[in-house]
Amino acid sequence: QALTYALMLAFFRNEMGFGGNNGLTDFKDLLGFDLQADATRIGLFLASALALALGYWACRWIVTSKLGRVAVAVRDAESRVRFIGYRVDRVKLAIWTFSAVLAGVAGALYVPQVGIINPGEFSPLNSIELVVWVAIGGRATLYGAVIGAVLVNYGKTVFTGAFPEAWLFVLGGLFVLVTVFLPAGIAGLLTMLRRRRSESETMQEAGA
């Protein structure tokens, strides 16, 4: 976070050549396609959906692979993994690099759709929002992060329009409420409801 904040302050300086406070603006076309055209907007939306699907598939593949299992072990007991001979630093670097690739693809699709990019995107608040997405959607799941991202950004759109000064308080309140009352997030709630429904159906079949 400290490095990210330092980069934000550096890019705010006009001599960096990135537009200072204004950032880079006035994006009009992409590979010859007019960014204001409806067809281009639809194409970018479909590209974003495809990138999400491919990213989810790649993450699922990693989680179920040997690398994913070792990464989980590093998360839970790093010293033990190191003592049995794994290069923990290489595992962390691999996961970090892959996550950076995902972030880069997301940024490349984000900028043409909003038409502006400025150093404010380096703000630590954006990193905190990612944590909130995962907490609300459901930790230890892949689809939970997607659910959390959609819900939080929808809430952000609504609240920043209706109560712009209160949005950060709402975001913090959501994080606290979910952490205290719904630690597994929405994904955990859905799993619990499915389990209860399955148990209810089993009991009904046994009674019949």
Side-chain angles (χ1 to χ4, degrees), residues 150-182:
V150 172
L151 291 179
V152 172
N153 280 283
Y154 176 76
K156 183 177 181 179
T157 301
V158 173
F159 280 101
T160 52
F163 310 101
E165 298 85 3
W167 162 243
L168 292 180
F169 296 100
V170 173
L171 185 64
L174 279 174
F175 181 72
V176 172
L177 289 174
V178 168
T179 302
V180 174
F181 298 106
L182 202 64

Side-chain angles (χ1 to χ4, degrees), residues 9 32 34 44 48 51 56 72 88 91 102 122 159 179 187 196 202:
L9 295 178
D34 182 11
L44 287 171
S48 299
Y56 182 89
V72 171
V88 172
V91 174
L102 291 180
F122 281 103
F159 280 101
T179 302
R196 287 185 177 180
T202 302

Side-chain angles (χ1 to χ4, degrees), residues 186-197:
I186 295 174
L189 178 62
L190 295 176
T191 300
M192 182 180 65
L193 292 176
R194 284 198 299 266
R195 186 183 300 115
R196 287 185 177 180
R197 180 182 299 177

Side-chain angles (χ1 to χ4, degrees), residues 92-179:
K92 288 183 175 182
L93 179 61
I95 298 299
W96 185 87
T97 303
F98 178 74
S99 66
V101 170
L102 291 180
V105 172
L109 290 168
Y110 170 79
V111 174
Q113 295 183 70
V114 298
I116 183 174
I117 183 71
N118 60 50
E121 297 297 337
F122 281 103
S123 172
L125 176 61
N126 291 334
S127 298
I128 296 172
E129 280 192 19
L130 295 179
V131 177
V132 177
W133 295 352
V134 175
I136 292 176
R139 300 178 179 86
T141 63
L142 294 176
Y143 67 90
V146 178
I147 295 174
V150 172
L151 291 179
V152 172
N153 280 283
Y154 176 76
K156 183 177 181 179
T157 301
V158 173
F159 280 101
T160 52
F163 310 101
E165 298 85 3
W167 162 243
L168 292 180
F169 296 100
V170 173
L171 185 64
L174 279 174
F175 181 72
V176 172
L177 289 174
V178 168
T179 302

